Amino acid sequence: MSPTNQESINAECVTSVKTINYSYSWCINDFSDWCALSGEVPESATFSSNDGEELEWQLYFRPQSLSSRPHSALMLWLTKSASKKVQVDFKLSLLDGESKLIGSRSTKHLFTHERCGFGWDGFIERKRLMKRVRVFDKLIITCDIRAKVKIENELSITYNTTTVSDSLKTDLFNLLDDEKLSDVTFMIRGQDFPAHKCILAARSPVFAAMFSHSMQETIDSTVNIPDVDPAVFKELLRFIYTDQVNDLDTMADRLYAAADKYDITALRSHCRKMILKKLSIETAGDALKLADLHCDRDMKARVLQFLRSRDAIGVTGTIGWQEMVATHPHLEEEAFKIMADSSAKGKKRSSVVWRFGRALLRTFKVTKSS
């Protein structure tokens, strides 16, 4: 058997099309007067999704179509776009003063450039329309859009470490327990852990630097580490010597921090996998704080992606989230934007934001009172 200690990186890319939903209502009061004054350009105000996308739309309505005189014309125009092509499913509807449907049409269209419009010259018979709006002299035009605006690539990276042979693992583990041959001792909160500088230096750039310079640790062969739990450091040493770790499911977060401190990338990868595997509403706050503290962009992105489809009230009510808000308030803003942007679709936008705001208020009160 030939033991190896090499790490491999597996990257997976998921490509998807980002879709934005719009709902817009154009209410025309005093409809008869508006028809007389609208002139050649009877248009609505421009509207957008207000989510940072450079897309703006406008409705054009002519009570008397230019090409089909007995009918009224209704069209949707793309007035501003950062993309060359925008694939759109949209529905246009006319309602009377009591918000009762007069007529509607829906279609799919590829908008290829700015100032590009599509609709119907003969949307509805003009006589029928005028009869329906005569009582309240009011017309409501609604527009529902589902725009596929751009292609997004999400990169997921996993790290795999080849394991050493069983016999070598056993020999190295026995060496770890042999105090006679050790040349350095770690003092962890009253407990001593003997080890071997050459093995530590081979596995950790941080230990290699520590033992290569004229530091006090090198001179005394004693290293005091006050910020690591003894049980965690024991598993750190186990992995350094044997590529194995016990109780990863219960100490992944603490072991992740220790692995990052000593730059042991393979162990950090194992811990990251376990943290993401056990990711839940209760652990999301702790995981997000851990990823931010250790500048782990991949884990942070995965946690935010998890939060994108979760209920805001359930997340903000957990102890882990409240502790994160108290120590890392900037993460609350990032997560809020992810959850609000994901949930704010169509007419549900205001209610979702309201619910989220109430949840944040409760979190603030709990944190403040404690």
PDB file of all heavy atoms in Angstrom, residues 60 114 116 143 146 182 194 198 200 217 221 240 343 358:
ATOM      1  N   TYR A  60     -48.473  51.375 -23.154  1.00  0.00           N
ATOM      2  CA  TYR A  60     -49.075  52.287 -24.142  1.00  0.00           C
ATOM      3  C   TYR A  60     -50.513  51.826 -24.382  1.00  0.00           C
ATOM      4  O   TYR A  60     -50.747  50.663 -24.739  1.00  0.00           O
ATOM      5  CB  TYR A  60     -48.303  52.248 -25.466  1.00  0.00           C
ATOM      6  CG  TYR A  60     -47.069  53.119 -25.486  1.00  0.00           C
ATOM      7  CD1 TYR A  60     -46.097  53.022 -24.500  1.00  0.00           C
ATOM      8  CD2 TYR A  60     -46.868  54.065 -26.497  1.00  0.00           C
ATOM      9  CE1 TYR A  60     -44.964  53.815 -24.521  1.00  0.00           C
ATOM     10  CE2 TYR A  60     -45.728  54.865 -26.513  1.00  0.00           C
ATOM     11  CZ  TYR A  60     -44.788  54.735 -25.526  1.00  0.00           C
ATOM     12  OH  TYR A  60     -43.674  55.535 -25.548  1.00  0.00           O
ATOM     13  N   GLU A 114     -33.644  48.068 -26.351  1.00  0.00           N
ATOM     14  CA  GLU A 114     -34.429  49.110 -25.700  1.00  0.00           C
ATOM     15  C   GLU A 114     -35.395  49.748 -26.701  1.00  0.00           C
ATOM     16  O   GLU A 114     -35.201  49.690 -27.900  1.00  0.00           O
ATOM     17  CB  GLU A 114     -33.505  50.184 -25.112  1.00  0.00           C
ATOM     18  CG  GLU A 114     -32.684  49.705 -23.932  1.00  0.00           C
ATOM     19  CD  GLU A 114     -31.863  50.828 -23.343  1.00  0.00           C
ATOM     20  OE1 GLU A 114     -31.908  51.956 -23.883  1.00  0.00           O
ATOM     21  OE2 GLU A 114     -31.162  50.597 -22.327  1.00  0.00           O
ATOM     22  N   CYS A 116     -38.259  48.740 -27.375  1.00  0.00           N
ATOM     23  CA  CYS A 116     -38.893  47.665 -28.130  1.00  0.00           C
ATOM     24  C   CYS A 116     -40.238  47.364 -27.484  1.00  0.00           C
ATOM     25  O   CYS A 116     -40.329  47.195 -26.268  1.00  0.00           O
ATOM     26  CB  CYS A 116     -38.004  46.427 -28.124  1.00  0.00           C
ATOM     27  SG  CYS A 116     -38.690  44.982 -28.943  1.00  0.00           S
ATOM     28  N   CYS A 143     -50.682  44.885 -15.400  1.00  0.00           N
ATOM     29  CA  CYS A 143     -49.633  44.221 -16.176  1.00  0.00           C
ATOM     30  C   CYS A 143     -48.870  43.278 -15.258  1.00  0.00           C
ATOM     31  O   CYS A 143     -48.359  43.697 -14.210  1.00  0.00           O
ATOM     32  CB  CYS A 143     -48.691  45.266 -16.768  1.00  0.00           C
ATOM     33  SG  CYS A 143     -47.290  44.569 -17.650  1.00  0.00           S
ATOM     34  N   ARG A 146     -43.206  38.279 -16.209  1.00  0.00           N
ATOM     35  CA  ARG A 146     -42.194  37.334 -15.726  1.00  0.00           C
ATOM     36  C   ARG A 146     -41.019  37.420 -16.699  1.00  0.00           C
ATOM     37  O   ARG A 146     -41.073  36.891 -17.806  1.00  0.00           O
ATOM     38  CB  ARG A 146     -42.755  35.917 -15.680  1.00  0.00           C
ATOM     39  CG  ARG A 146     -41.835  34.906 -15.005  1.00  0.00           C
ATOM     40  CD  ARG A 146     -42.572  33.588 -14.767  1.00  0.00           C
ATOM     41  NE  ARG A 146     -41.761  32.637 -14.031  1.00  0.00           N
ATOM     42  CZ  ARG A 146     -41.009  31.694 -14.610  1.00  0.00           C
ATOM     43  NH1 ARG A 146     -40.998  31.591 -15.936  1.00  0.00           N
ATOM     44  NH2 ARG A 146     -40.298  30.866 -13.873  1.00  0.00           N
ATOM     45  N   SER A 182       8.582  12.436  21.988  1.00  0.00           N
ATOM     46  CA  SER A 182       8.059  13.748  21.638  1.00  0.00           C
ATOM     47  C   SER A 182       9.100  14.828  21.915  1.00  0.00           C
ATOM     48  O   SER A 182       9.960  14.679  22.793  1.00  0.00           O
ATOM     49  CB  SER A 182       6.787  14.034  22.437  1.00  0.00           C
ATOM     50  OG  SER A 182       7.075  14.102  23.826  1.00  0.00           O
ATOM     51  N   PRO A 194       1.756  15.968  24.344  1.00  0.00           N
ATOM     52  CA  PRO A 194       3.068  15.823  23.699  1.00  0.00           C
ATOM     53  C   PRO A 194       2.909  15.586  22.198  1.00  0.00           C
ATOM     54  O   PRO A 194       1.938  14.967  21.755  1.00  0.00           O
ATOM     55  CB  PRO A 194       3.660  14.604  24.397  1.00  0.00           C
ATOM     56  CG  PRO A 194       2.480  13.812  24.846  1.00  0.00           C
ATOM     57  CD  PRO A 194       1.406  14.817  25.174  1.00  0.00           C
ATOM     58  N   CYS A 198       8.442  17.720  13.728  1.00  0.00           N
ATOM     59  CA  CYS A 198       8.596  17.442  12.295  1.00  0.00           C
ATOM     60  C   CYS A 198       7.260  17.086  11.647  1.00  0.00           C
ATOM     61  O   CYS A 198       6.970  17.502  10.522  1.00  0.00           O
ATOM     62  CB  CYS A 198       9.614  16.327  12.078  1.00  0.00           C
ATOM     63  SG  CYS A 198       9.192  14.767  12.890  1.00  0.00           S
ATOM     64  N   LEU A 200       4.199  17.948  12.838  1.00  0.00           N
ATOM     65  CA  LEU A 200       3.365  19.142  12.864  1.00  0.00           C
ATOM     66  C   LEU A 200       3.755  20.115  11.759  1.00  0.00           C
ATOM     67  O   LEU A 200       2.901  20.699  11.091  1.00  0.00           O
ATOM     68  CB  LEU A 200       3.481  19.832  14.223  1.00  0.00           C
ATOM     69  CG  LEU A 200       3.012  19.038  15.445  1.00  0.00           C
ATOM     70  CD1 LEU A 200       3.278  19.836  16.709  1.00  0.00           C
ATOM     71  CD2 LEU A 200       1.540  18.695  15.335  1.00  0.00           C
ATOM     72  N   GLU A 217       8.603  29.382  21.891  1.00  0.00           N
ATOM     73  CA  GLU A 217       8.105  28.008  21.798  1.00  0.00           C
ATOM     74  C   GLU A 217       9.200  27.057  21.319  1.00  0.00           C
ATOM     75  O   GLU A 217       9.283  25.903  21.738  1.00  0.00           O
ATOM     76  CB  GLU A 217       6.909  27.937  20.846  1.00  0.00           C
ATOM     77  CG  GLU A 217       5.644  28.600  21.369  1.00  0.00           C
ATOM     78  CD  GLU A 217       5.614  30.089  21.062  1.00  0.00           C
ATOM     79  OE1 GLU A 217       6.649  30.610  20.604  1.00  0.00           O
ATOM     80  OE2 GLU A 217       4.569  30.728  21.295  1.00  0.00           O
ATOM     81  N   SER A 221      10.401  24.429  23.869  1.00  0.00           N
ATOM     82  CA  SER A 221       9.672  23.241  23.410  1.00  0.00           C
ATOM     83  C   SER A 221       8.349  23.089  24.150  1.00  0.00           C
ATOM     84  O   SER A 221       7.876  21.971  24.389  1.00  0.00           O
ATOM     85  CB  SER A 221      10.526  21.974  23.566  1.00  0.00           C
ATOM     86  OG  SER A 221      11.634  22.017  22.697  1.00  0.00           O
ATOM     87  N   ILE A 240      -3.962  15.505  12.282  1.00  0.00           N
ATOM     88  CA  ILE A 240      -2.608  15.781  11.783  1.00  0.00           C
ATOM     89  C   ILE A 240      -1.811  14.494  11.630  1.00  0.00           C
ATOM     90  O   ILE A 240      -1.100  14.294  10.639  1.00  0.00           O
ATOM     91  CB  ILE A 240      -1.882  16.758  12.731  1.00  0.00           C
ATOM     92  CG1 ILE A 240      -2.490  18.157  12.598  1.00  0.00           C
ATOM     93  CG2 ILE A 240      -0.380  16.800  12.453  1.00  0.00           C
ATOM     94  CD1 ILE A 240      -1.922  19.174  13.567  1.00  0.00           C
ATOM     95  N   SER A 343     -38.176  36.735  -1.502  1.00  0.00           N
ATOM     96  CA  SER A 343     -39.590  36.581  -1.173  1.00  0.00           C
ATOM     97  C   SER A 343     -40.477  37.633  -1.803  1.00  0.00           C
ATOM     98  O   SER A 343     -41.672  37.446  -1.928  1.00  0.00           O
ATOM     99  CB  SER A 343     -39.772  36.614   0.351  1.00  0.00           C
ATOM    100  OG  SER A 343     -39.041  35.573   0.937  1.00  0.00           O
ATOM    101  N   ARG A 358     -41.209  43.067  11.230  1.00  0.00           N
ATOM    102  CA  ARG A 358     -41.722  42.745  12.559  1.00  0.00           C
ATOM    103  C   ARG A 358     -40.823  41.732  13.256  1.00  0.00           C
ATOM    104  O   ARG A 358     -40.577  41.821  14.459  1.00  0.00           O
ATOM    105  CB  ARG A 358     -43.140  42.183  12.442  1.00  0.00           C
ATOM    106  CG  ARG A 358     -44.179  43.206  12.021  1.00  0.00           C
ATOM    107  CD  ARG A 358     -44.355  44.284  13.091  1.00  0.00           C
ATOM    108  NE  ARG A 358     -44.804  43.709  14.357  1.00  0.00           N
ATOM    109  CZ  ARG A 358     -46.089  43.501  14.654  1.00  0.00           C
ATOM    110  NH1 ARG A 358     -47.038  43.823  13.798  1.00  0.00           N
ATOM    111  NH2 ARG A 358     -46.428  42.972  15.812  1.00  0.00           N
TER     112      ARG A 358
END
